Amino acid sequence: REASVPQFGREQSGPASLPAEDVSTNSNGPKQDSLFDDDPEDLFAEATEEVSLDSPERDVLLSDGPSPAITPITPPTSVITPRIESLTVPVSLQIEEEEGGDSFDIHIAVSDPEKVGEFSGTFWHLRDKQDSSGTSLSVFKQGEFSVKRRFSDFLGLHSKLASKYLHVGYIVPPAPEKSIVGMTKVKVGKEDQSSNEFVEKRRSALERYLMRTVKHPVLLKDPDVLQFLESSELPRAVSTQALSSAGLLRMVNKAADAVNKMTIKMNESDAWFEEKQQQFENLDIQLRKLHASVESLVCHRKELSVNTALFAKSAAMLGNSEDHTALSRALSQLAEVEEKIDQLHQDQANADFYLFSELLGDYVRLITAVKGVFDHRMKTWQKWQDSQMLLQKKREAEAKLQFTNKPDKLQQAKDEIKELEGKVQQGERDFEQISKTIRKEVSRFEKERVKDFKSVIIKYLESLVQTQQQLIKYWEAFLPEAKAIS
Amino acid sequence: RLWCRGPQCCMMGYLSVSLQPRAVNVDLQTDATLQVDISDALSERDKVKFTVHTKSTLPNFKQSEFSVVRQHEEFIWLHDSFVENEDYAGYIIPPAPPRPDFDASREKLQKLGEGEGSMTKEEFTKMKQELEAEYLAIFKKTVAMHEVFLCRVAAHPVLRKDLNFHVFLEYNQDLSVRGKNKKEKLEDFFKNVVKSADGVLVAGVKDVDDFFEHEKTFLLEYHNRVKDASAKSDRMIRSHKNAADDINRIASSLYTLGTQDSTDICKFFLKVTLLRWLCFKIEARVAADEDLKLADLLKYYLRESQAAKDLLYRRGRALVDYENANKALDKARAKNRDVLQAETSQQLCCHKFEKISESAKQELIDFKTRRVAAFRKNLVELAELELKHAKGNLQLLQSCLSVLKGDT
């Protein structure tokens, strides 16, 4: 089907026949559907083109594997091989012309050594390579296979998980954000630095999202997740459209929630929760501040790289016009050194960004999810209180009815009371359950957070170490040239 | 009036620094007959007072060692007196030191003072320290620039004998030199316009002498390129400082996170913070050193190459005058009128031109020697400093990594 779009001169790369794991579901969708596509971005579905994805950063992220939790890419099996070969060839961003969905090259390595055995899943072309050995979860097929997933599928997965688990207290990792501008640029075929960066940024975000999701012991077993990882065809996630009725409903609900939150005054009997909530508030503020600083650093470093390059050229010119030979040569050398340093700055900026900044962004969003979970607990408490109050009222009403001669109504009241008593009990149970779950989740979250930050910071520091080593090399090479001026 | 000895700075910029003789941008032969340096400097709200210290065996001076206090305007007066002196037309006049400019730094300090309430005590103290260090660096730089000017004059075989110079060094009262008023500044402006127009005309005249023709072309191109390189290096260094400021903010955020957090991650963050802080200091110092070595060097030679261009202009002007005088003489002889006058005039022009040419040649050769030596010195020092910082940084990073990795 990809080949059937002639208008943009698309070439098919890799094996033309993508056999069984085909393009997901563009079977349902006559043209008029395009208005109600998954993403508002898909309004530009017509203007799609190939984008080459030779991002070096991806290789860095993929091949580096200092943390034991990430399995390095295992040598390809026969299934994978043809695709890997196409790695070196510009790989196309398959974009379904009709629905305008978008699929990505994603390559995730997921492993959970604490769990049973090694479990790794990799997505390539949203191919999911799962290599489970000795896992007791029989749901996973052996061997490797891949699936294609669109961005909207990820969002769909998240919304399903959120609706199932958030209100009972599980911290569901938030999905990456939509970005209309970035996506449009890619779709319109603007093949420049920023659109490549955008693609890489999104790919990396999706990878991290999936990894967080599958690391969660409860979410991992969820049938939706399994389906997402395994099945070659996925029903379209319709409710992720921002402008759909479901989307609007979501927005209204969110607003209502916000109002409710302000009006709920909970008698917090558990000091732990109060303390934790405060902690997360503070953490939120600090992380946001930190994130902003890191983003500023990335920006300034890029600027520094540009200015260093300009200076290098200028120094070269100066060296040219200098008529003392040795000095002229030294100045040219200086220009070269500065040019190399400029490249270093650029690489450093990338590391700043991909390692540090994105991590912080993820955590800012995660904390929002955590806060949401706390809010749900409050809501559960509120529900419980409400049913209790209602019960109280009904009991009073029943007491009053005792003195009237209306046996039917009395019976009805008694029935209602019984029902309500059950509800109250359920409410209390729910509340306790959610409190328990949250405690577990929070402690898990904190452990994960420490691990996460630690591993990222170590990686980041290692990149800094490399930069310094390079710098030393360059300046050591320059020094004798400078000394040789006579 | 409040001043404190030692490199401490109160909020509004009262600063006094005791200074050792510093390495300067120029490699100068100083001899015992005349040694000049700036031994002390005091920065008050809107002016800087330099203590000019002289040691001399020359009979011209009443004592063999003495000091006076001078302000920036007096340096300018001295410089201008050289420029306006016809006798010195054949020499490269050492460029005047730039005006001390603490405005930016003072503004930052002021903003910091205003924002004191909105940050923690530690943040405030650290930022204050950084800004004070910056202020101190600018201060040292301006002192160095003024000192270099004086040393150049003292090292010049002819200029060192100048009477105004001796007065400058010795007269221990205020020289009552006021800065130029608006009218004078306007006059200067027009003078410069005329001069540059004239300069273009004069430059167009081809010189018979190969040496000077070559120098003219060379200097023109060189001056422009130095200007460009100087501007670009300034931008680069500013970016570097911005990045360093960011790292500083990141470090303080990490610190707050570390102190807030009651979990295990706290110790971790604190370690990282310490590391970050040191990295920031190193980055800031790298930026500052680059500044001193590279940017100052380029700026200085920008001014010097301008002074050299001025010399060539004066010579060119004298050549044109000489040729015009020759033509006038021929005309006078042809008409047999005012011949004596024309002859005297022509002789004067000839004499002036030859005098300038003679000294100019040597001056330009010296300029080259000085330039090469200064570049060499600064480039070597720049490379050595960069290495030192990179190695320090590396060690820091590696030790921190080993601690972090060892921690489970």
Side-chain angles (χ1 to χ4, degrees):
Chain A
R1 274 199 199 85
E2 295 92 76
S4 75
V5 184
Q7 61 251 48
F8 298 99
R10 198 184 279 169
E11 332 128 20
Q12 194 59 32
S13 66
S17 59
L18 293 175
E21 66 271 350
D22 202 312
V23 191
S24 10
T25 62
N26 44 20
S27 44
N28 52 321
K31 279 294 179 161
Q32 60 237 55
D33 252 0
S34 56
L35 280 178
F36 299 101
D37 268 344
D38 295 28
D39 307 329
E41 302 146 19
D42 296 347
L43 291 173
F44 293 87
E46 305 301 291
T48 61
E49 235 188 71
E50 288 191 355
V51 171
S52 101
L53 290 173
D54 295 316
S55 48
E57 285 85 58
R58 190 181 59 223
D59 293 324
V60 169
L61 283 168
L62 299 177
S63 44
D64 265 3
S67 142
I70 298 180
T71 323
I73 292 124
T74 55
T77 63
S78 50
V79 176
I80 282 292
T81 313
R83 267 297 153 182
I84 298 266
E85 276 172 337
S86 68
L87 219 193
T88 54
V89 165
V91 171
S92 58
L93 230 202
Q94 304 292 355
I95 299 179
E96 261 88 63
E97 62 280 23
E98 288 161 24
E99 280 71 24
D102 40 304
S103 55
F104 281 91
D105 290 307
I106 293 202
H107 203 152
I108 77 162
V110 175
S111 82
D112 198 353
E114 295 155 6
K115 287 293 178 154
V116 193
E118 287 268 272
F119 156 68
S120 65
T122 46
F123 279 57
W124 182 239
H125 249 318
L126 283 110
R127 279 182 172 203
D128 165 21
K129 184 175 95 173
Q130 286 178 356
D131 195 29
S132 58
S133 47
T135 171
S136 62
L137 303 162
S138 53
V139 288
F140 289 116
K141 311 178 194 169
Q142 289 282 344
E144 301 162 355
F145 54 94
S146 326
V147 295
K148 275 189 176 173
R149 291 291 172 260
R150 296 185 289 186
F151 184 67
S152 50
D153 293 333
F154 286 84
L155 296 181
L157 174 68
H158 169 74
S159 85
K160 280 198 208 127
L161 292 177
S163 61
K164 277 200 271 188
Y165 291 101
L166 265 183
H167 66 270
V168 285
Y170 288 102
I171 302 174
V172 176
E177 289 168 343
K178 294 191 196 208
S179 161
I180 297 183
V181 173
M183 201 50 218
T184 313
K185 277 209 322 214
V186 167
K187 288 201 173 191
V188 173
K190 206 166 162 219
E191 239 207 79
D192 65 351
Q193 181 70 4
S194 66
S195 62
N196 285 341
E197 279 177 11
F198 171 79
V199 166
E200 174 54 33
K201 185 173 161 182
R202 175 165 278 194
R203 185 207 66 80
S204 147
L206 287 170
E207 182 176 291
R208 288 195 309 273
Y209 164 67
L210 268 186
M211 278 186 49
R212 288 220 176 84
T213 307
V214 297
K215 269 202 195 139
H216 194 294
V218 170
L219 294 180
L220 181 56
K221 302 195 192 116
D222 181 279
D224 279 324
V225 171
L226 298 179
Q227 187 190 39
F228 185 87
L229 292 176
E230 294 180 336
S231 58
S232 46
E233 278 202 20
L234 213 59
R236 283 187 52 179
V238 179
S239 63
T240 58
Q241 302 169 41
L243 296 177
S244 71
S245 52
L248 284 170
L249 193 63
R250 266 208 308 278
M251 279 199 286
V252 168
N253 279 339
K254 266 207 191 127
D257 279 351
V259 171
N260 277 339
K261 195 165 121 180
M262 291 192 278
T263 55
I264 294 179
K265 264 206 88 175
M266 181 166 155
N267 302 331
E268 187 55 79
S269 52
D270 197 335
W272 186 90
F273 279 93
E274 209 169 309
E275 191 189 300
K276 279 299 168 187
Q277 254 188 307
Q278 189 56 47
Q279 220 176 37
F280 280 113
E281 280 296 321
N282 291 339
L283 192 58
D284 193 24
I285 296 173
Q286 284 309 314
L287 280 182
R288 278 179 202 270
K289 214 164 112 179
L290 188 57
H291 189 209
S293 299
V294 175
E295 287 196 318
S296 167
L297 176 64
V298 171
C299 191
H300 283 141
R301 244 205 243 280
K302 287 213 172 112
E303 206 180 270
L304 176 58
S305 151
V306 166
N307 284 337
T308 309
L310 284 176
F311 173 71
K313 285 205 189 75
S314 185
M317 296 277 280
L318 187 62
N320 278 340
S321 62
E322 174 62 62
D323 58 358
H324 185 272
T325 2
L327 179 55
S328 168
R329 196 173 50 237
L331 283 171
S332 311
Q333 289 289 87
L334 179 68
E336 270 179 40
V337 168
E338 294 287 350
E339 229 178 83
K340 293 199 197 122
I341 289 181
D342 134 54
Q343 189 55 47
L344 270 185
H345 281 310
Q346 237 181 20
D347 294 342
Q348 184 63 59
N350 282 329
D352 287 343
F353 180 72
Y354 283 109
L355 288 179
F356 215 174
S357 173
E358 288 283 87
L359 174 78
L360 288 170
D362 283 351
Y363 268 90
V364 165
R365 281 197 298 277
L366 265 170
I367 301 251
T368 312
V370 171
K371 292 208 287 196
V373 153
F374 275 90
D375 287 344
H376 273 291
R377 177 172 171 272
M378 273 210 291
K379 274 202 278 202
T380 314
W381 180 84
Q382 188 64 45
K383 230 169 86 177
W384 174 31
Q385 295 301 316
D386 286 347
S387 2
Q388 258 190 338
M389 276 201 300
L390 195 57
L391 177 65
Q392 184 71 15
K393 264 201 229 143
K394 289 284 176 186
R395 283 206 175 124
E396 285 171 7
E398 188 227 16
K400 278 201 203 128
L401 276 176
Q402 295 266 5
F403 296 109
T404 66
N405 199 8
K406 292 189 187 151
D408 299 339
K409 283 236 166 87
L410 193 58
Q411 187 54 40
Q412 187 186 29
K414 280 200 183 350
D415 290 336
E416 281 177 350
I417 285 176
K418 213 171 196 149
E419 203 187 310
L420 273 175
E421 278 174 349
K423 262 214 185 111
V424 166
Q425 273 182 344
Q426 182 61 40
E428 185 172 4
R429 271 202 302 272
D430 285 343
F431 181 71
E432 300 204 329
Q433 182 59 41
I434 196 175
S435 301
K436 206 165 89 184
T437 311
I438 289 183
R439 276 178 191 265
K440 255 195 341 210
E441 283 288 284
V442 164
S443 89
R444 198 190 133 260
F445 173 79
E446 310 219 293
K447 269 205 229 103
E448 281 300 311
R449 174 161 77 102
V450 174
K451 253 185 8 193
D452 234 349
F453 268 80
K454 197 163 170 187
S455 91
V456 163
I457 288 191
I458 287 178
K459 251 197 255 168
Y460 182 56
L461 290 182
E462 284 175 345
S463 84
L464 286 180
V465 162
Q466 262 202 329
T467 309
Q468 296 306 310
Q469 284 170 332
Q470 285 293 85
L471 272 176
I472 289 175
K473 242 181 38 196
Y474 296 151
W475 286 109
E476 276 181 345
F478 174 72
L479 192 53
E481 284 288 340
K483 287 192 170 151
I485 305 172
S486 57
Chain B
R1 170 185 133 148
L2 202 106
W3 52 271
C4 39
R5 286 269 162 197
Q8 272 144 351
C9 177
C10 310
M11 275 314 254
M12 290 327 283
Y14 293 112
L15 172 64
S16 163
V17 186
S18 289
L19 304 158
Q20 261 61 44
R22 286 167 300 290
V24 291
N25 270 334
V26 211
D27 208 22
L28 292 169
Q29 268 82 11
T30 47
D31 56 63
T33 52
L34 183 60
Q35 274 179 336
V36 184
D37 65 86
I38 295 184
S39 59
D40 199 359
L42 173 65
S43 159
E44 287 181 355
R45 189 176 282 265
D46 56 355
K47 51 185 180 245
V48 182
K49 296 203 166 121
F50 304 96
T51 304
V52 179
H53 168 247
T54 315
K55 253 180 147 147
S56 174
T57 56
L58 291 176
N60 320 57
F61 300 110
K62 295 197 198 83
Q63 299 163 292
S64 59
E65 189 168 350
F66 47 90
S67 292
V68 295
V69 176
R70 291 283 173 249
Q71 289 184 40
H72 175 72
E73 286 75 23
E74 290 161 318
F75 286 78
I76 301 299
W77 164 81
L78 182 62
H79 171 261
D80 289 349
S81 75
F82 290 147
V83 170
E84 285 155 16
N85 190 333
E86 286 272 332
D87 286 342
Y88 301 146
Y91 307 116
I92 296 181
I93 310 295
R99 197 181 74 83
D101 184 12
F102 296 102
D103 293 340
S105 189
R106 239 181 242 134
E107 217 179 277
K108 276 197 213 164
L109 272 168
Q110 193 150 13
K111 259 197 221 149
L112 180 68
E114 286 166 8
E116 182 172 356
S118 69
M119 51 179 98
T120 68
K121 189 156 189 301
E122 294 95 10
E123 276 178 12
F124 178 74
T125 323
K126 287 212 160 67
M127 287 234 69
K128 181 154 170 274
Q129 278 176 347
E130 295 311 328
L131 284 181
E132 283 176 358
E134 199 181 295
Y135 190 93
L136 186 62
I138 297 178
F139 185 71
K140 280 195 181 148
K141 206 165 26 147
T142 193
V143 168
M145 293 283 110
H146 285 75
E147 192 180 72
V148 161
F149 170 70
L150 293 178
C151 291
R152 283 267 280 121
V153 175
H156 195 281
V158 174
L159 292 177
R160 77 202 319 231
K161 300 192 196 128
D162 182 80
L163 188 60
N164 282 335
F165 184 48
H166 291 178
V167 167
F168 178 93
L169 289 177
E170 200 177 21
Y171 186 60
N172 58 9
Q173 305 281 337
D174 198 346
L175 286 175
S176 296
V177 169
R178 54 168 178 72
K180 298 199 169 150
N181 62 23
K182 261 200 213 145
K183 176 155 168 276
E184 285 166 340
K185 284 196 182 142
L186 201 60
E187 282 175 0
D188 271 353
F189 173 71
F190 280 121
K191 255 197 247 173
N192 275 331
V193 171
V194 169
K195 180 168 155 222
S196 40
D198 196 28
V200 173
L201 278 168
V202 164
V205 174
K206 180 129 172 48
D207 207 316
V208 255
D209 191 328
D210 273 344
F211 173 80
F212 284 105
E213 188 59 30
H214 166 80
E215 286 295 307
K216 208 166 44 172
T217 339
F218 164 73
L219 265 176
L220 195 63
E221 192 186 60
Y222 188 78
H223 177 80
N224 287 335
R225 292 194 178 173
V226 165
K227 202 193 266 184
D228 188 54
S230 174
K232 301 265 161 68
S233 83
D234 279 347
R235 274 167 62 177
M236 178 173 79
I237 285 159
R238 238 197 327 267
S239 293
H240 212 155
K241 278 217 182 96
N242 284 339
D245 285 342
D246 283 330
I247 297 183
N248 192 17
R249 267 193 288 272
I250 291 173
S252 80
S253 285
L254 283 174
Y255 180 75
T256 321
L257 264 172
T259 49
Q260 266 182 0
D261 225 316
S262 59
T263 65
D264 194 24
I265 204 169
C266 153
K267 274 185 292 169
F268 173 74
F269 271 134
L270 283 174
K271 285 198 202 105
V272 178
T273 301
L274 182 64
L275 165 76
R276 268 300 190 178
W277 217 263
L278 293 166
C279 280
F280 162 69
K281 289 234 179 294
I282 290 183
E283 288 242 29
R285 247 195 320 185
V286 169
D289 288 340
E290 273 181 349
D291 201 357
L292 272 179
K293 297 287 155 220
L294 213 45
D296 286 355
L297 176 72
L298 291 170
K299 277 204 204 76
Y300 185 78
Y301 276 94
L302 179 61
R303 289 200 298 278
E304 272 255 16
S305 57
Q306 182 63 50
K309 273 172 70 181
D310 289 344
L311 169 62
L312 280 180
Y313 162 71
R314 289 195 292 271
R315 182 177 168 279
R317 177 83 252 158
L319 177 60
V320 168
D321 289 344
Y322 180 31
E323 286 179 349
N324 287 341
N326 275 335
K327 288 197 197 113
L329 181 58
D330 289 340
K331 245 206 267 183
R333 280 193 179 136
K335 289 192 187 147
N336 209 1
R337 242 198 333 189
D338 297 322
V339 173
L340 190 59
Q341 200 180 21
E343 272 180 353
T344 342
S345 169
Q346 191 255 22
Q347 263 178 0
L348 271 170
C349 286
C350 174
H351 177 71
K352 180 171 171 194
F353 173 68
E354 280 173 356
K355 183 165 165 240
I356 291 182
S357 288
E358 196 181 302
S359 56
K361 191 160 189 168
Q362 190 54 46
E363 287 283 303
L364 288 168
I365 291 173
D366 286 345
F367 173 59
K368 179 161 168 176
T369 319
R370 266 202 316 274
R371 184 175 80 240
V372 172
F375 267 80
R376 177 186 193 283
K377 180 162 180 282
N378 283 281
L379 287 177
V380 167
E381 284 177 7
L382 174 69
E384 286 174 345
L385 273 168
E386 295 267 1
L387 273 173
K388 183 172 126 196
H389 290 148
K391 286 186 177 153
N393 227 346
L394 182 65
Q395 207 180 39
L396 208 61
L397 286 165
Q398 279 169 335
S399 72
C400 190
L401 261 177
S402 67
V403 166
L404 286 177
K405 280 185 176 163
D407 246 13
T408 6

